[in-house]
Amino acid sequence: MNNSGIKILVTGGMGYIGSHTVVQLIARGYRVVIADNLCNSNRNILSRIAQIAGQEPQFYEIDLCDKQALNDVFKKEEDIKAVVHFAALKAVGESVQHPLKYYRNNLISLLNLLEVQELFDANNLVFSSSCTVYGEPDALPVTEKSPVKPATSPYGNTKQVGEEIIKEQCTASNLRSIALRYFNPVGAHESALIGELPIGTPNNLVPYITQTAIGKQPFLRVFGNDYPTPDGTCIRDYIHVDDVAAAHIAALERLLNPPSESEGFEVFNIGTGRGNTVLEAIRAFEEASNQKLPYHVAPRRVGDIEKVFADTSLSNSVLHWKAEKDLHTMMASAWEWEKKLKINPLV
Ligand code: NAD
Ligand code: UDP
C-alpha cells in the first residue's frame, strides 16, 4: 500500500509509545502531526525523533481538553485522515488519589477528539487501551473475548469507558476504530535516543530496574514471592515498545483499507503471548547488562494482578502483526537508554 502523504494526527506523540510510533509512521511515508501538551514528556524529543526519522514532524503544543485548540489543529492541517490517540495520564496509583484529574484529562480529551473528528470527517481512530480491562483473568492466556472485569482504578476505568464511548460513536457515526489492549510495553529504540521517561520515582518494573542499576535507586523491591507461580513472583507479558508501535501501523492500515469483513469497532491484544515472572525479568536484565542487580523481596503490592499474558492469535492473523523482540532485547535496549540518559539528559 502506498501511504505517501496520508496525514495522521498522533496525540501524545511526544510520549513513550507515541514517539516510537511516530518514528515508524514517518518511515512508512505518512505525514505526521503531533498534538501533545508535554505534561509527561519533553520538548527535546522532537529533535530526537527527527534524528532517527530524518525529518521533524509538525508539532502542536496543545491540551486536548481545549477543544478550540484541537479544532484549530484540524482546521490548519486540513486533511487529517486518521488519529492515533495516545494522549492520556497513565499512573494507576495517582489515579486512585486524584480520580477527577484522570476522568477529566482522559475522558474530556477523548470526547473533544471524537467531536472534532466527526466535524472534520476524519473517521479513523486507533485507541490506546490496556490489558488492565481484564483485571485478574479467570483463564490464561487472555483472549479478546475474555470478560472485561470491573476496573480497580480510575485509570483502568478511563480505558474501559473510553472503549465503550468509541464503540458507541462507531455505531452512531462514520467513525471506524481499533482499540489496542497493550500488555506491558518496555524497552527503547535501538538508537537509545527515545525511551520511557518516568517523572519522579518509577512505579513500573523495568524503569525501576534500570534506575537501580544506574544508581538512582538503592535497590529493587520484588513485590511478593508467595504467588502460585513457578518462582512465586507475578507474571506479565512484557513486550518491546517497537513491537507495540508496529501494531499501530498494522491497525492504521486496516482502518485505511478496510477489508469487507472488518467491523466498525475492533479490539486486539498486543502482547508477545509469553508470560515472565519478575525474577525472570531481573535475570534477563542481569544477562543483558552483565551486572548483578540489588533486590529484596518485599510484601505484595496492593492490587497487583497475579498473572496475565495475552492470546495474540487474533492480532497475528487479522492485523498480520506479531511481536518479534525477546526479553533479552527489551532489557538490553532499556539499559542502553538509561545509560545514554545519564550522559545526555533530556532536560
Ligand atoms: P506517556 O505519558 O509517555 O505519553 C502520553 C503523552 O500524552 C505524553 O507525552 C503527555 O504529555 C501527553 N498527554 C497527556 N494528556 C494530554 C492532554 N490532555 N493533551 C495533550 N497531551 C496529553 O505514556 P505512554 O506510556 O506512551 O502511553 C501512551 C498511551 O498508552 C496512554 O494512553 C496509556 O494509558 C496507554 N497505555 C500505556 C501502557 C504503558 O505501560 N506504557 C500500557 C497500556 C496502555
Ligand atoms: N514490580 C516489582 N517491583 C517494582 C515494580 C514492579 O516487583 O518496583 C512487579 C509488580 O509487582 C508486577 C510486575 O513487577 O508483578 C510488573 O509491574 P508493573 O508496575 O511494571 O506493571 P503492571 O503491574 O501494571 O502490569
Side-chain angles (χ1 to χ4, degrees), residues 269-284:
N269 284 345
I270 301 302
T272 62
R274 284 184 303 276
N276 285 106
T277 66
V278 176
L279 294 181
E280 284 168 347
I282 292 172
R283 263 196 304 280

Side-chain angles (χ1 to χ4, degrees), residues 92 131-132 183-184 186 202-209 220-224 227 233-236 238 278 301 304-306 308:
V92 176
C131 71
T132 54
F183 280 66
N184 286 62
V186 299
N203 295 308
N204 296 115
L205 179 64
V206 174
Y208 211 103
I209 288 178
L220 173 78
R221 283 170 300 156
V222 172
F223 296 136
Y227 288 99
T233 64
C234 292
I235 291 179
R236 295 288 183 278
Y238 298 99
V278 176
R301 184 169 70 176
D304 252 339
I305 303 297
E306 188 173 295
V308 61

Side-chain angles (χ1 to χ4, degrees), residues 11-19 35-42 62-65 85-90 105-106 109 127-131 155 159 180-185 196-197 204:
T11 76
M14 300 288 274
Y16 174 44
I17 306 170
S19 57
D36 198 307
N37 66 357
L38 302 178
C39 70
N40 198 35
S41 49
N42 185 293
I62 61 157
D63 189 329
L64 296 189
C65 294
H85 181 46
F86 293 106
L89 296 175
K90 63 167 183 177
N105 190 73
N106 294 2
S109 58
F127 177 63
S128 295
S129 189
S130 166
C131 71
Y155 166 74
K159 293 300 174 193
L180 299 179
R181 291 175 177 165
Y182 319 147
F183 280 66
N184 286 62
E196 189 169 7
L197 205 60
N204 296 115

Side-chain angles (χ1 to χ4, degrees), residues 155-227:
Y155 166 74
N157 209 21
T158 66
K159 293 300 174 193
Q160 288 189 11
V161 174
E163 282 193 12
E164 283 169 18
I165 291 171
I166 294 168
K167 185 177 177 183
E168 286 164 0
Q169 177 66 356
C170 286
T171 305
S173 73
N174 292 329
L175 184 73
R176 306 177 61 80
S177 178
I178 292 179
L180 299 179
R181 291 175 177 165
Y182 319 147
F183 280 66
N184 286 62
V186 299
H189 191 264
E190 61 180 4
S191 64
L193 286 165
I194 53 175
E196 189 169 7
L197 205 60
I199 291 180
T201 306
N203 295 308
N204 296 115
L205 179 64
V206 174
Y208 211 103
I209 288 178
T210 58
Q211 288 202 6
T212 303
I214 206 98
K216 281 192 199 164
Q217 309 295 340
F219 56 86
L220 173 78
R221 283 170 300 156
V222 172
F223 296 136
N225 67 349
D226 57 352
Y227 288 99

